[in-house]
């Protein structure tokens, strides 16, 4: 029982710590050669997700979404589908208008989603210029976000000549910052179940402590 309780407390403590101020970034890839640009954001999502079901699917977590390349993460620089999933949270203090921008290199276009809702899509060759001077060459949007957990997802296809990519956010009254595992401007909000598990563990720990400290009955 004591071992199980220690495990529960360790898990919940790690869960709370993981939500203390960092994004989680997972990038997935698979070999793919689309016939051409797609017509909508949902089409890009469906096509990329379908490609990721194939045998060449690979996945990796990254510490920073800043000037990454497909070649450095997976090897190969052409004919691939890419999906990036960024999980982050917004505190009460940071609720409000957030801006997102994703500098990508997708020869067949791509799309940007937030919490499953399409924010932007480009069906032409997108080639990020590192300065975000041309809105036609990156994915972006401004959204009013409330406190809670959120997921930003990027989908796209590259045909040839993989280039650098970047994904950034700007919180209210902030500046553009690349998503990373140390982006302290973001304060993630633990799910209610995590709090419930933590409180249950603390209650059990208190009960066991009282039992251990209770004096034994001494017979005369």
């Amino acid at each position: 029982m004591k071992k199980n309780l220690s495990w529960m407390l360790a898990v919940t403590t790690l869960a709370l710590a993981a939500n203390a101020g960092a994004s989680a970034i997972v990038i997935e890839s698979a070999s793919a050669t689309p016939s051409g640009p797609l017509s909508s954001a949902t089409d890009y999502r469906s096509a990329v997700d379908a490609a990721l079901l194939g045998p060449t699917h690979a996945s990796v977590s990254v510490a920073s979404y800043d000037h990454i390349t497909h070649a450095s993460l997976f090897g190969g620089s052409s004919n691939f589908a890419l999906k990036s999933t960024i999980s982050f949270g917004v505190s009460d203090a940071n609720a409000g208008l957030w801006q997102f921008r994703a500098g990508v290199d997708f020869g067949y276009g791509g799309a940007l989603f937030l919490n499953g809702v399409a924010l932007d899509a480009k069906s032409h060759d997108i080639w990020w210029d590192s300065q975000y001077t041309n809105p036609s060459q990156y994915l972006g949007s401004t959204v009013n976000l409330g406190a809670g957990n959120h997921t930003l997802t990027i989908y796209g296809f590259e045909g040839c000549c993989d280039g650098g990519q970047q994904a950034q956010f700007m919180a209210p009254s902030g500046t553009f910052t690349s998503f990373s595992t140390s982006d302290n401007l973001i304060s993630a909000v633990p799910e209610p179940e995590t709090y419930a598990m933590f409180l249950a563990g603390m209650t059990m720990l208190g009960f066991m402590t009282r039992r251990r400290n209770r004096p034994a009955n001494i017979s005369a």
Side-chain angles (χ1 to χ4, degrees):
M1 179 68 175
K2 183 177 180 180
K3 182 178 181 181
N4 290 339
L5 178 59
S6 298
W7 176 86
M8 178 185 292
L9 290 175
V11 169
T12 52
T13 299
L14 286 173
L16 290 173
N19 283 292
S23 299
I25 308 166
V26 176
I27 300 179
E28 299 174 81
S29 169
S31 297
T33 307
S35 58
L38 304 176
S39 60
S40 70
T42 54
D43 286 342
Y44 277 103
R45 178 173 61 183
S46 297
V48 170
D49 282 340
L52 296 178
L53 295 176
T56 60
H57 173 262
S59 177
V60 64
S61 296
V62 299
S64 176
Y65 209 132
D66 192 17
H67 290 80
I68 64 170
T69 64
H70 182 275
S72 65
L73 297 178
F74 305 103
S77 60
S78 61
N79 299 325
F80 59 81
L82 199 72
K83 175 181 179 179
S84 302
T85 304
I86 306 169
S87 302
F88 66 100
V90 174
S91 67
D92 289 328
N94 278 337
L97 287 179
W98 282 61
Q99 294 185 53
F100 300 99
R101 63 187 188 186
V104 296
D105 185 8
F106 292 150
Y108 294 103
L112 179 70
F113 283 75
L114 179 68
N115 301 329
V117 177
L119 298 182
D120 192 13
K122 301 288 194 307
S123 59
H124 54 262
D125 184 0
I126 313 173
W127 194 333
W128 176 45
D129 63 3
S130 299
Q131 302 299 320
Y132 296 100
T133 57
N134 185 350
S136 72
Q137 293 300 302
Y138 64 89
L139 301 169
S141 185
T142 300
V143 183
N144 192 358
L145 286 186
N149 295 322
H150 303 279
T151 302
L152 190 74
T153 316
I154 306 166
Y155 301 88
F157 289 95
E158 172 64 313
C160 173
C161 312
D162 168 44
Q165 302 198 31
Q166 182 184 69
Q168 295 190 320
F169 67 90
M170 184 166 70
S173 302
T175 57
F176 273 111
T177 304
S178 295
F179 283 101
S180 74
T181 55
S182 59
D183 50 13
N184 293 321
L185 291 178
I186 292 182
S187 298
V189 182
E191 299 292 348
E193 302 84 40
T194 303
Y195 276 126
M197 184 182 296
F198 181 76
L199 291 175
M202 292 301 294
T203 301
M204 292 176 66
L205 179 61
F207 175 73
M208 292 185 67
T209 301
R210 287 195 299 272
R211 287 190 60 185
R212 186 170 58 250
N213 294 335
R214 182 182 301 166
N217 292 327
I218 301 177
S219 300

